[in-house]
Amino acid sequence: MRKISTVNIETTINSGQVFLWNKIGDKWIGVDGQDIIILNQSPFSARSSSNGINNFFREDDDLKKILSNISRDKIVARAVKQSPGLRLMRQDPFQCYISFICSSNSSIQNIKSMLENLCKKFGTRQEFKGYELPTFPKAEILAKASMKDLTECRLGFRAKYVKEASQAVDSGKIDFAQLKKIDYQTAIDSLKNILGIGNKVADCIALFSLDKMEAFPIDRWTQRILLKYYKKFFDNVTEKPVTEKKYEKLHEEIVKYFGPYAGYAQQFLFKMERDLNEKKWL
DNA sequence: TCATCACCTGGAGA
DNA sequence: ATCTCCAGGTGAT
């Protein structure tokens, strides 16, 4: 029986889940939907402008059980041991959805810049404990945004995706509350009907905002990890780009191997490999 | 079902 | 200076 470490804020923010966070002094200030959140490591505190910060770090998960469940080999065990304070975050679904639509074929700094631009142009300025910043735009606002305004946010070819995706939410075609209730595969299929959302982006949205812990986003880094440590375990992993069908087959193998909390395993593995390559996030 | 290719943009390296 | 390549993929042939 192992003692579970407390949340490590910096580790968690720098693990590839979120973009709109900045360290100011010894605090982390971030945007989550219509909330501004202030995080302090020591003494630990998490305050939200709307007092709606419930289980932002998934405190309701049985972490002890999950960590023991995913530690099926030395690789994951090492990854967990290396970043015991790493947590999955429960993000605002709409922000998460737009964030990862923007992430396609882009770089961290670029993605962050796009999202900041969206907040500045379409968000609502809010003040909280002496910090003032714009929150994330609401779906109805982005749904009505002009292509000119969206393009000015430097979204590039993603401008159209963001608009259509926002319209889908505004019209109710995409209903996050509903997606949270239904099973993983049905939620993924629904998300993939949206232009700009493929398997990887759908998995990110599902894992980081829809409580789908069997989601296991496979990006370039994950692919490298699988190739490096798990080549023998999975038939469908190659160095070639992951096509849609390959992705689905690979995901099946992955869930069979890592189990229902595969998403947690992905997060620890991802963090381990990023650190190994000295890649920073925010 | 699979292989190619283009794609906005910004930064890094040749 | 200019070019090429790449970055947490996806969509269209």
Side-chain angles (χ1 to χ4, degrees):
Chain A
M1 188 130 78
R2 179 174 11 158
K3 187 169 190 291
I4 301 300
S5 160
T6 53
V7 180
N8 185 313
I9 293 168
E10 179 138 357
T11 296
T12 300
I13 300 251
N14 280 299
S15 71
Q17 308 178 55
V18 291
F19 299 91
L20 289 173
W21 287 81
N22 288 295
K23 194 171 191 180
I24 300 178
D26 58 347
K27 297 184 192 320
W28 282 95
I29 318 296
V31 171
D32 185 60
Q34 303 308 302
D35 295 348
I36 294 170
I37 296 178
I38 301 178
L39 264 21
N40 195 58
Q41 182 69 59
S42 179
F44 186 88
S45 70
R47 296 171 203 286
S48 158
S49 55
S50 78
N51 77 26
I53 187 155
N54 56 341
N55 296 323
F56 189 55
F57 292 107
R58 305 191 61 94
E59 291 90 339
D60 48 333
D61 282 345
D62 186 342
L63 202 62
K64 194 159 61 175
K65 175 181 144 198
I66 291 171
L67 295 187
S68 121
N69 188 283
I70 61 172
S71 296
R72 301 185 176 205
D73 54 60
K74 287 179 180 169
I75 312 298
V76 181
R78 190 203 311 165
V80 169
K81 193 175 180 185
Q82 204 168 302
S83 305
L86 177 60
R87 296 290 180 276
L88 280 174
M89 282 184 263
R90 182 178 280 117
Q91 299 181 42
D92 171 73
F94 181 65
Q95 179 175 326
C96 186
Y97 169 84
I98 298 297
S99 296
F100 285 95
I101 285 173
C102 288
S103 78
S104 85
N105 197 28
S106 192
S107 61
I108 312 308
Q109 288 313 315
N110 243 346
I111 299 162
K112 188 182 186 199
S113 156
M114 293 181 226
L115 297 174
E116 284 173 349
N117 291 339
L118 285 174
C119 289
K120 277 180 208 154
K121 193 181 275 285
F122 300 105
T124 311
R125 288 198 76 80
Q126 244 195 76
E127 204 230 319
F128 183 49
K129 294 192 180 292
Y131 299 97
E132 193 190 341
L133 60 159
T135 54
F136 200 77
K138 291 180 179 174
E140 56 192 273
I141 303 287
L142 288 184
K144 294 183 185 98
S146 69
M147 286 304 290
K148 176 176 171 291
D149 282 346
L150 289 170
T151 302
E152 280 175 8
C153 291
R154 318 307 289 158
L155 301 184
F157 63 87
R158 306 166 196 82
K160 187 173 72 170
Y161 300 165
V162 167
K163 176 149 176 112
E164 291 192 23
S166 301
Q167 287 171 335
V169 172
D170 190 41
S171 73
K173 182 182 165 196
I174 289 287
D175 177 352
F176 294 118
Q178 187 60 27
L179 292 181
K180 279 192 184 193
K181 288 178 196 164
I182 63 181
D183 67 281
Y184 166 77
Q185 195 56 54
T186 313
I188 291 293
D189 292 344
S190 177
L191 287 169
K192 280 173 63 182
N193 286 325
I194 303 302
L195 198 67
I197 301 185
N199 286 300
K200 189 269 176 183
V201 169
D203 264 344
C204 287
I205 299 164
L207 180 61
F208 301 141
S209 73
L210 300 175
D211 296 329
K212 302 291 185 272
M213 289 187 280
E214 64 269 58
F216 191 104
I218 304 167
D219 57 27
R220 288 181 151 83
W221 283 96
T222 320
Q223 189 185 13
R224 278 173 213 160
I225 291 165
L226 295 176
L227 215 46
K228 184 171 171 184
Y229 304 106
Y230 293 96
K231 204 173 170 51
K232 278 172 281 182
F233 296 77
F234 305 124
D235 298 332
N236 286 291
V237 54
T238 65
E239 59 284 348
K240 287 185 293 188
V242 185
T243 62
E244 179 170 14
K245 283 296 161 196
K246 279 280 186 193
Y247 191 108
E248 284 160 9
K249 284 182 183 172
L250 190 49
H251 183 264
E252 243 176 78
E253 288 188 310
I254 284 168
V255 173
K256 193 177 283 180
Y257 179 77
F258 287 112
Y261 307 110
Y264 263 96
Q266 187 270 357
Q267 204 58 29
F268 283 95
L269 290 168
F270 183 88
K271 177 63 176 167
M272 176 176 76
E273 203 63 10
R274 293 282 296 192
D275 284 351
L276 195 60
N277 288 274
E278 298 181 336
K279 293 285 183 187
K280 287 283 176 200
W281 197 250
L282 299 176

